[in-house]
Each structure stands twice: as structure tokens, then as C-alpha cells.
């Protein structure tokens, strides 16, 4: 089993050949394990490599002047956390682990080689950044138009769909190693508001978030509360159909 096995899993990766997968594996310079709650890259840092999350959970965020943090993205295994840094050469936000995380580091010189020698693989790396952009647009919608219950429900639905795509959902249970403060930072809510919202979802049998896991009790209702439509995730299966790449 290769370390890149979850890259774009369930999201169009089937077009890649064995040689292209080998090229992606060979592009990895090293594998590192970072402790939980560790900043890997800081805003303004020059970057010369990109990070592929193998195991664990990571986030991108900005700190406000008052010390409060706004989560900009939540990353699951298979995500290139900072592929956009390849062209921008620096980051305009911080990148950190949420739990202990194992990551593969790919030097930008190796990506240059992929661009020259494997154009279809290069297209799939580009695709991964476009999927990030699609999620950013949906997060803006969530923060701007939904109430507290809608924001939390939408976030849970999104993580559930992404974890299911990489085979990390057992029954209706998946890992979500976030505190209520973390969820609040992703959804623009206070910890108190998140606590009330999670209690409501639990009492109504919609979803139970506890001890780093989510148990979904009524997925259809959860999606209705969150006005969730997974088309922006560009998954291979579901009512939105196959994706051409």
C-alpha cells in the first residue's frame, strides 16, 4: 500500500495509470510525523515543498488581532494541504496539525518534473487545488447564509462525505477529532453556541458528536438542516453522477 493511496480517492483519480502513481510516490522526499496542535507552516513563510496528509487531521487558519482563530479548511487523509504554495511560493495563512499526523513532503522541484513528464498527473494535482477552491466557496456560503444549526450540520455533512470517499466511515460513524472550540472556529460560532447546537442535534437523533467521533442518526435530516448538497465535492458516486476528467 502506497502513501499516496488516498489522494483524490473517490474523486476522479481512477484515470491515473500505474506509471503516474509511481511518479507521485517517487516524488516524495521524506515522511514526517508531527505532534498534535503543531504549526507546520506560518503565514508569510516561503515554501519549497508541499504537504500530503497520510494519517491524522490538519487545518488551515488565520488568527485575528483579538486572538481568536478562524479555520479556513479542514483536511483529511489524501489531501494536499498546501499544493497552492507550489505556484504562490508562500502561504497567506497558517497550517497546523489537529491530532498527531503523518505527512509526506514533496519538494517543488519534484513537482516541476511531474509537470514536464506527466501532464495528466499534473492535471490531477491542479484538480486537487480546484477542489479546495470549491470547498472554500461553500464555506463562504455556510458562514454567510446559514444559522448556527445549519452551519454545524453542513460542516458535519461535508466531513462525513469526504471521509466516506476515502473509506474512513464505519456504519454511520467517523472520526472528527475537534473540540467544540474548533468546530466554532470552523463555523463562526462561540463554544457555548456550538454546545447548544450539538445538544439539539443529539436530542433530536440527527447526529451525536462526542469523544472525537460523529455518529449520524438521520443523514437526510442533517443534510436538510445544513442545506447540504455534495455536488461541490465532485465525488465519483451519488446523485450528481460520474465526473469527467
Amino acid at each position: 500500500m502506497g502513501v499516496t493511496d488516498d489522494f483524490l480517492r473517490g474523486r476522479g483519480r481512477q484515470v491515473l495509470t500505474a506509471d503516474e502513481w509511481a511518479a507521485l510516490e517517487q516524488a516524495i522526499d521524506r515522511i514526517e510525523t508531527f505532534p498534535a496542535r503543531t504549526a507546520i507552516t506560518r503565514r508569510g513563510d516561503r515554501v519549497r515543498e508541499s504537504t500530503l496528509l497520510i494519517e491524522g487531521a490538519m487545518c488551515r487558519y488565520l488568527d485575528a488581532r483579538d486572538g481568536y482563530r478562524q479555520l479556513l479548511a479542514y483536511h483529511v487523509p489524501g489531501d494536499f494541504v498546501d499544493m497552492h504554495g507550489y505556484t504562490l511560493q508562500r502561504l497567506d495563512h497558517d497550517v497546523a496539525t489537529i491530532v498527531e499526523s503523518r505527512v509526506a513532503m514533496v519538494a517543488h522541484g519534484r513537482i516541476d518534473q511531474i509537470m514536464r513528464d506527466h501532464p495528466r498527473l499534473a492535471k490531477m494535482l491542479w484538480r486537487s487545488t480546484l477542489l479546495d477552491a470549491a470547498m472554500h466557496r461553500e464555506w463562504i456560503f455556510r458562514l454567510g447564509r446559514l444559522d448556527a444549526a445549519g452551519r454545524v450540520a453542513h460542516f458535519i455533512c461535508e466531513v462525513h462525505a469526504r471521509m466516506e470517499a476515502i473509506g474512513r466511515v464505519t456504519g454511520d460513524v467517523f472520526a472528527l477529532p475537534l473540540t467544540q472550540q474548533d468546530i466554532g472556529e470552523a463555523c463562526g460560532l462561540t463554544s457555548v453556541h456550538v454546545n447548544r447546537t450539538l445538544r439539539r442535534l443529539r436530542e433530536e437523533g440527527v447526529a451525536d458528536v462526542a469523544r472525537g467521533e460523529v455518529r449520524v442518526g438521520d443523514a437526510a435530516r442533517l443534510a436538510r438542516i445544513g442545506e447540504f448538497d455534495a455536488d461541490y465535492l465532485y465525488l465519483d458516486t451519488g446523485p450528481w453522477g460520474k465526473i469527467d476528467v
Side-chain angles (χ1 to χ4, degrees):
M1 182 175 179
V3 298
T4 63
D5 280 3
D6 283 329
F7 173 61
L8 290 181
R9 186 176 176 187
R11 301 170 85 179
R13 74 175 193 175
Q14 69 275 4
V15 303
L16 294 178
T17 66
D19 287 344
E20 289 164 338
W21 279 114
L24 184 57
E25 290 279 338
Q26 292 164 10
I28 295 171
D29 281 338
R30 67 189 187 284
I31 294 173
E32 294 189 30
T33 299
F34 292 94
R37 308 286 169 171
T38 300
I40 293 178
T41 309
R42 291 293 189 181
R43 182 178 186 178
D45 284 355
R46 300 286 296 181
V47 290
R48 295 178 175 82
E49 55 191 3
S50 290
T51 306
L52 174 67
L53 179 58
I54 303 171
E55 290 291 342
M58 297 177 65
C59 65
R60 288 186 270 154
Y61 64 95
L62 285 171
D63 285 321
R65 291 180 182 176
D66 59 8
Y68 287 99
R69 185 178 66 163
Q70 178 65 50
L71 261 61
L72 308 172
Y74 176 77
H75 288 288
V76 303
D79 286 356
F80 259 109
V81 177
D82 51 6
M83 179 56 69
H84 50 287
Y86 167 64
T87 52
L88 297 175
Q89 296 299 297
R90 66 176 179 86
L91 298 184
D92 50 28
H93 54 272
D94 295 344
V95 175
T97 60
I98 294 172
V99 295
E100 181 178 271
S101 298
R102 185 166 173 250
V103 301
M105 310 304 291
V106 181
H108 290 169
R110 300 291 186 98
I111 300 177
D112 287 337
Q113 187 174 358
I114 288 174
M115 295 293 173
R116 290 193 303 268
D117 300 339
H118 301 280
R120 188 164 54 174
L121 176 55
K123 180 180 177 182
M124 297 307 285
L125 293 175
W126 182 24
R127 178 183 177 85
S128 73
T129 66
L130 296 177
L131 291 172
D132 277 346
M135 285 187 284
H136 278 300
R137 289 189 290 273
E138 195 74 11
W139 278 43
I140 291 170
F141 162 76
R142 182 176 75 218
L143 292 175
R145 304 307 303 171
L146 300 182
D147 62 11
R151 294 180 196 184
V152 174
H154 187 286
F155 180 68
I156 293 172
C157 284
E158 178 182 287
V159 179
H160 180 270
R162 293 168 64 195
M163 292 289 277
E164 191 169 44
I166 60 173
R168 305 296 178 99
V169 176
T170 302
D172 291 315
V173 178
F174 63 94
L176 186 67
L178 298 177
T179 65
Q180 291 186 3
Q181 181 176 334
D182 294 331
I183 295 173
E185 291 169 351
C187 297
L189 301 168
T190 66
S191 297
V192 172
H193 216 158
V194 171
N195 182 276
R196 292 172 181 166
T197 301
L198 293 179
R199 184 170 66 246
R200 171 193 161 186
L201 294 176
R202 180 178 66 252
E203 290 174 350
E204 294 180 2
V206 178
D208 185 8
V209 181
R211 297 176 294 280
E213 287 188 339
V214 178
R215 181 178 298 275
V216 177
D218 189 336
R221 188 175 177 196
L222 187 67
R224 286 196 299 273
I225 293 171
E227 298 186 29
F228 179 76
D229 185 336
D231 61 349
Y232 71 98
L233 295 175
Y234 292 88
L235 302 170
D236 289 339
T237 59
W240 42 92
K242 278 285 189 188
I243 302 301
D244 294 323
V245 294

